Amino acid sequence: MKHKLRSARTRLMAHHHQNERQAESLDDVQLKNVQKVTPRVASATCPPKTHVVFLKTHKTASSSVLNILYRYGDSRNLTFALPLKKRRQMFYPLFFNPRFVEGFSSRSGTVFHIMCNHMRFRKSEVAKVMPTDAFYFSILRHPVAMMESIFTYYKNIPAFHKTRSLEDFLNTCWRDYNSSEWNNHYAHNVLAFDFGFDHNVADGAEDLDERAAVAVTTIERDFQLVLISDYFDESMVLLKHALCWSLEDVVSFRLNSRSERTRHKVSPETAAKIKRWNALDWRIYLHFNSTFWHKVESLVGQEKMENEVSQLKALHAKLADTCLKDGRAVDPSKINEPELKPFQYGEAVIQGYNLNPHLNGRTKTKCRRLITPELQYTSHLNIKQFQTQLLNSG
């Protein structure tokens, strides 16, 4: 039996690789109180990592992580591997290809520090763009909460469009789901899809165990760290230690987050159906939810984790008081500056922020970076990076 299992895993690994080949300081006077919360401490034994690959998964708080990476690189003039032709994704849902990166050429010698936009992951191709010492990480979310969010956000995809509710979809998906229709991958094991695996498998499939084992083994091989958005503060502390950054570097406000009025409570019966329908995602999540806490123990320790989570929350509260008008997120209709309004999609109401009106200088710049939506920040980095290159070449 063990021999058969190993053989099945070998075949699936080979199939996966075949598919790959085939597929195409807060230093302004207004923030002195914030600085007191998290003083910077240089470490000769742990230099900050600046070569980073983040697999941005869907509806997993990944936009908040993206903002962290954008701010870190932007403030240090690092170079981003950005999508070609000012797109917001790496031609997702196609498998990643180096030609999707603006300015990439195997002969140019350009060193990219950070890659973090949506892609369908393919390690062998990403490695052609990024340095060999790049740190790879990603983030997962409980599949039940993720599916509820996806259904609202992607309500217009064929799989969801004609169903009145998530419950209706789950009652008919086994019969009516068509995996070949464009964008229907969002409706079925989308985590597995984003990581580059065949996602068309559900509970009860004969090869589900083998597929899950291959997925877990491959992700563990390709990524040094897998975070869990359900424990976002702990994840950010863990990321801080893994990258040798500071708490100030990993603090964030929630971006691309829905208003509470577009969130729907999921019944236990519906949750069970989601787990069965997304059985591959559920297996992947269970494994990395477990290993996450092993990482906490080995890299940080429970007591230190609790202390640093408290510090991170205090820093967040200070930043909210300093940066945000009314200290909280607001619906898009109440955002004063049009350039700070997040992109709206599907039936979700994506909230944003207003800056405190009294901000100026470096404080305003730093606060603005914290609340700039993904599309606007990507555009800013495109202009900054490629205009700078044109000026230097001229």
Side-chain angles (χ1 to χ4, degrees), residues 58-60 140-152 160 166-167 170 186-187 189-191 229-230 258 263-283 285-286:
H58 286 84
K59 315 315 297 175
T60 58
L140 309 181
R141 184 183 183 186
H142 195 294
V144 172
M146 186 175 66
M147 186 71 174
E148 184 275 327
S149 179
I150 283 173
F151 184 81
T152 302
F160 296 152
L166 178 56
E167 289 77 9
L170 293 166
Y186 288 114
N189 290 311
V190 68
L191 282 176
S229 69
D230 310 274
R258 288 178 295 154
R263 297 174 185 268
H264 306 282
K265 188 175 181 180
V266 176
S267 69
E269 294 78 16
T270 299
K273 291 176 182 178
I274 291 172
K275 292 174 187 177
R276 288 197 297 271
W277 175 243
N278 295 302
L280 183 55
D281 279 1
W282 179 235
R283 301 290 185 93
Y285 176 84
L286 285 176

Side-chain angles (χ1 to χ4, degrees), residues 53-58 89-96 100 115-122 126 193-195:
V53 175
F54 172 55
L55 177 60
K56 188 178 187 295
T57 49
H58 286 84
Q89 301 179 342
M90 295 288 187
F91 290 79
Y92 184 91
L94 300 178
F95 274 104
F96 176 80
F100 299 161
M115 178 185 287
C116 54
N117 298 92
H118 276 306
M119 71 174 90
R120 191 173 186 200
F121 188 70
R122 189 160 51 153
V126 173
F193 184 91
D194 287 354
F195 278 95

Side-chain angles (χ1 to χ4, degrees), residues 27-43:
D27 52 3
D28 201 278
V29 66
Q30 292 168 296
L31 295 183
K32 283 184 178 179
N33 288 336
V34 174
Q35 286 180 304
K36 291 176 183 177
V37 177
T38 55
R40 286 184 177 273
V41 179
S43 174

